[in-house]
């Protein structure tokens, strides 16, 4: 059942990514079913993890309120991205217009961990860049 899957992912994330995680919340829809998992991160951004029963997914790092960017891996078969070699898997890297290949695992639990490791790496890189900028002022 998809609800159990979300709960398992939430527990894994809380254990393995506590260094970047403020909190995790299971978001419910109007019928009471779990709709997605939202992860609130220490840099005031958040990640939404969404699955559908048909195998569609989205791992979305929302950063627009902090650095005007998004980072998302999903497998929605948008014809616009048919030229991406991993189609229908693709990655929005920074904006809705910058789309690249997505090499995340097809196993959803592994894919979430891979995605969050990328988020962690980018957060660290952002912190380093910000410190360098502060030093040059």
């Amino acid at each position: 059942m998809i609800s159990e899957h979300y709960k398992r992912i939430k527990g894994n994330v809380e254990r393995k990514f506590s260094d970047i995680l403020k909190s995790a919340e299971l978001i419910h829809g109007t019928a009471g079913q779990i709709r997605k998992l939202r992860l609130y991160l220490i840099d005031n951004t958040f990640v939404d993890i969404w699955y559908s029963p048909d195998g569609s997914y989205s791992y979305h790092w929302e950063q627009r309120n902090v650095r005007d960017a998004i980072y998302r891996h999903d497998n929605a078969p948008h014809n616009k991205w048919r030229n991406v070699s991993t189609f229908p898997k693709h990655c929005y890297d920074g904006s809705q217009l910058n789309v690249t290949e997505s090499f995340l695992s097809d196993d959803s639990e592994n894919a979430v961990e891979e995605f969050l490791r990328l988020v962690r790496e980018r957060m660290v890189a952002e912190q380093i860049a910000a410190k360098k900028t502060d030093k040059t002022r």
Side-chain angles (χ1 to χ4, degrees):
M1 178 178 236
I2 202 160
S3 293
E4 293 306 313
H5 185 68
Y6 277 117
K7 291 174 185 175
R8 189 171 50 254
I9 297 284
K10 180 179 181 282
N12 288 341
V13 167
E14 288 172 329
R15 280 189 304 281
K16 296 179 179 181
F17 294 93
S18 61
D19 60 322
I20 62 169
L21 185 66
K22 277 187 189 177
S23 65
E25 175 184 15
L26 295 167
I27 309 281
H28 294 81
T30 54
Q33 294 282 58
I34 297 173
R35 200 171 51 119
K36 65 182 168 184
L37 171 61
R38 177 161 289 172
L39 309 174
Y40 298 95
L41 305 181
I42 60 173
D43 68 346
N44 296 316
T45 63
F46 65 87
V47 168
D48 280 339
I49 298 169
W50 172 83
Y51 301 105
S52 74
D54 72 359
S56 298
Y57 65 82
S58 174
Y59 310 116
H60 176 90
W61 182 20
E62 180 60 50
Q63 309 165 65
R64 285 180 274 209
N65 66 328
V66 174
R67 56 183 83 72
D68 196 29
I70 63 156
Y71 184 70
R72 179 174 65 242
H73 286 256
D74 70 51
N75 66 346
H78 304 297
N79 282 331
K80 186 175 185 177
W81 311 123
R82 189 168 290 284
N83 63 327
V84 174
S85 68
T86 57
F87 182 84
K89 292 170 46 171
H90 55 282
C91 170
Y92 297 90
D93 192 355
S95 78
Q96 299 278 37
L97 301 175
N98 185 30
V99 174
T100 62
E101 291 83 6
S102 173
F103 296 105
L104 293 183
S105 172
D106 290 329
D107 176 86
S108 61
E109 292 186 38
N110 289 336
V112 167
E113 289 187 27
E114 292 168 9
F115 182 78
L116 291 174
R117 280 194 296 271
L118 291 168
V119 168
R120 180 191 282 143
E121 289 170 13
R122 288 173 178 241
M123 285 175 69
V124 168
E126 286 287 332
Q127 289 173 346
I128 291 169
K131 286 179 182 176
K132 286 182 181 178
T133 301
D134 287 344
K135 287 181 181 179
T136 60
R137 288 182 185 178

